[in-house]
Amino acid sequence: MTPLFGPRAPATQLATSLLPGELRRPEVPVEKSSRTAEIIDAARTILEAEGADALTMRRIADRLGIQAPSLYKHFASKKAIEVALVTDGLAEIGEATHSALHEPGSSSPIARLLVAYRALCVANAAVYRLATQSSFARDELPAGLEEWAGNPFYVVTGDPALAQALWSFAHGMVVLELDGRYPAGSDLDAAWRAGARAFERATSTGDL
Amino acid sequence: MTPLFGPRAPATQLATSLLPGELRRPEVPVEKSSRTAEIIDAARTILEAEGADALTMRRIADRLGIQAPSLYKHFASKKAIEVALVTDGLAEIGEATHSALHEPGSSSPIARLLVAYRALCVANAAVYRLATQSSFARDELPAGLEEWAGNPFYVVTGDPALAQALWSFAHGMVVLELDGRYPAGSDLDAAWRAGARAFERATSTGDL
DNA sequence: TTCCTCGGCTAACGTTGTTAGCTGCCAGTA
DNA sequence: TACTGGCAGCTAACAACGTTAGCCGAGGAA
């Protein structure tokens, strides 16, 4: 299983033309020194292997063979490290969902979007969980990144209300799956399909 | 605004007959001493007023005029206090959604369920957030309580996959609303209606 | 050579959950 | 009445957390 992550395999924007309503990825200034990159790399490794509780400044520093206070030469706070982690995760998820819009396929755009969204969120499970903690400093994310990452849901429905409903469905499915909230033995594929079909019909029938 | 909460206004099971597929509320042994009740009451007050970060053992103890270690005479850990808080919240939400199934109304059962779910989750916003933190000790909740609280979604759809999809939609809407993840000025009522309509059609049309 | 910045370090602070161990009170019982 | 036991408080303390202050060596620029 190869890690599917930003800095390790930098996500590049495909040079395809935009669909109606599709946003372009916002420019995010990447001026990472090698040490900063190593720090978020170590943080991600710990986060994915042992979960959010294990992500402490001392553990991150340990992995790099330095002391915790030295991390503050590179990041202003632990929150800033988390923001860097989530920024990469959002970029990767957004990249995947945007490109799912353009891939041809036998299934509907909604189904393709949902499949891509689920796959990427599960692949970045720990980061996704981190981003949905209420203590996460969402307001320090790069401007426009969240909007861009959510944009495919607008493209695929063509209606703001339906887009938010579809996004909520997808987000809810992912969160409940990652937190193990469905009873054991649940057929989650069937639940995803059922939701996809409901929203496909809602878009094809028109709003009112 | 009167607080809508368990111990303050104990939720009683209505003596109506059950709908097809509807579960009865599990018996949860309530052997609360007066002090334990005071503790979870103080905890809830802090949580609702100042959020999860303010919910510390010392703050809870302060409100009762005692020292933090004394709390351990009544609860084994902070997690246990959180579990008690969420147990009450789940009971109240479940009570409301179950009774929404039985209320007659001009709107569909799905719409009534969603309206009740949203209202109760927003009323218990802080507790709902607490319950969705990944660090929450879900496995220590009373057996069957979560299943019973989610049961109305099965009753109203009649299909496991569709029920999980509908629950995911509702959960996603609530979580994103509570975390302020929708752009300012979003018409959330419209999003709820759009989702409700999509699932109404999905149930009436049959599964495949 | 001198000076400044970068990126390490140690020591320490305040806060968190939690444990150990002491004590006073009060009910029950010989 | 006297003894006893447990309930429920207390203080002191610990380890781990994020974070700050302040020191210092290396290396490049003037």
Side-chain angles (χ1 to χ4, degrees), chain A residues 168-173 176 182, chain B residues 163-173:
Chain A
S168 299
F169 161 69
H171 177 69
M173 286 293 302
L176 295 174
Y182 296 111
Chain B
Q164 293 181 330
L166 180 61
W167 178 39
S168 299
F169 162 69
H171 177 69
M173 286 293 302

Side-chain angles (χ1 to χ4, degrees), chain B residues 32-57:
Chain B
K32 290 171 185 161
S33 78
S34 64
R35 206 44 161 169
T36 30
E38 286 174 6
I39 290 172
I40 71 172
D41 209 63
R44 187 168 46 238
T45 303
I46 294 170
L47 184 63
E48 286 173 355
E50 303 174 56
D53 283 350
L55 188 68
T56 72
M57 298 300 267

Side-chain angles (χ1 to χ4, degrees), chain B residues 55-77:
Chain B
L55 188 68
T56 72
M57 298 300 267
R58 284 168 177 84
R59 293 273 284 113
I60 297 171
D62 272 357
R63 267 194 87 83
L64 300 173
I66 63 176
Q67 298 302 117
S70 300
L71 295 173
Y72 291 83
K73 300 294 180 180
H74 305 276
F75 287 91
S77 64

Side-chain angles (χ1 to χ4, degrees), chain B:
Chain B
M1 194 193 302
T2 59
L4 304 164
F5 236 99
R8 293 172 183 168
T12 54
Q13 175 119 347
L14 275 72
T16 53
S17 58
L18 296 180
L19 294 170
E22 187 176 4
L23 293 178
R24 198 173 291 278
R25 181 173 172 185
E27 296 294 330
V28 41
V30 193
E31 21 94 27
K32 290 171 185 161
S33 78
S34 64
R35 206 44 161 169
T36 30
E38 286 174 6
I39 290 172
I40 71 172
D41 209 63
R44 187 168 46 238
T45 303
I46 294 170
L47 184 63
E48 286 173 355
E50 303 174 56
D53 283 350
L55 188 68
T56 72
M57 298 300 267
R58 284 168 177 84
R59 293 273 284 113
I60 297 171
D62 272 357
R63 267 194 87 83
L64 300 173
I66 63 176
Q67 298 302 117
S70 300
L71 295 173
Y72 291 83
K73 300 294 180 180
H74 305 276
F75 287 91
S77 64
K78 187 188 174 190
K79 278 187 197 301
I81 297 180
E82 294 175 350
V83 166
L85 243 30
V86 172
T87 298
D88 286 351
L90 267 183
E92 196 193 341
I93 292 173
E95 215 56 64
T97 52
H98 272 275
S99 73
L101 297 178
H102 296 276
E103 288 164 2
S106 57
S107 55
S108 73
I110 286 184
R112 291 203 310 273
L113 171 61
L114 291 178
V115 166
Y117 189 79
R118 181 187 184 188
L120 264 290
C121 291
V122 169
N124 297 326
V127 173
Y128 196 88
R129 258 176 151 128
L130 184 67
T132 57
Q133 298 280 97
S134 59
S135 60
F136 175 71
R138 195 173 321 284
D139 48 336
E140 291 171 23
L141 285 172
L145 184 61
E146 277 198 290
E147 190 189 356
W148 168 78
N151 172 250
F153 291 91
Y154 289 83
V155 174
V156 99
T157 57
D159 173 73
L162 211 43
Q164 293 181 330
L166 180 61
W167 178 39
S168 299
F169 162 69
H171 177 69
M173 286 293 302
V174 167
V175 155
L176 295 175
E177 178 173 359
L178 294 184
D179 282 353
R181 304 260 315 255
Y182 296 111
S186 295
D187 187 351
L188 295 188
D189 290 348
W192 278 97
R193 278 196 307 269
R197 186 144 29 200
F199 282 100
E200 284 163 2
R201 272 193 276 232
T203 45
S204 62
T205 325
D207 195 29
L208 198 135

Side-chain angles (χ1 to χ4, degrees), chain A residues 1-11 32 37-49 63 85 88 92 123-124:
Chain A
M1 194 193 301
T2 59
L4 304 165
F5 235 99
R8 292 175 185 167
K32 289 171 185 161
E38 286 174 7
I39 291 172
I40 71 173
D41 209 63
R44 186 170 45 240
T45 303
I46 295 169
L47 184 63
E48 286 173 356
R63 265 194 88 82
L85 243 30
D88 287 350
E92 196 192 341
N124 296 327

Side-chain angles (χ1 to χ4, degrees), chain A residues 134-171:
Chain A
S134 59
S135 60
F136 176 71
R138 196 173 322 283
D139 49 336
E140 291 172 23
L141 285 172
L145 184 61
E146 278 198 290
E147 189 190 355
W148 168 78
N151 173 249
F153 291 92
Y154 288 83
V155 174
V156 98
T157 56
D159 173 72
L162 211 44
Q164 293 181 329
L166 179 62
W167 177 40
S168 299
F169 161 69
H171 177 69

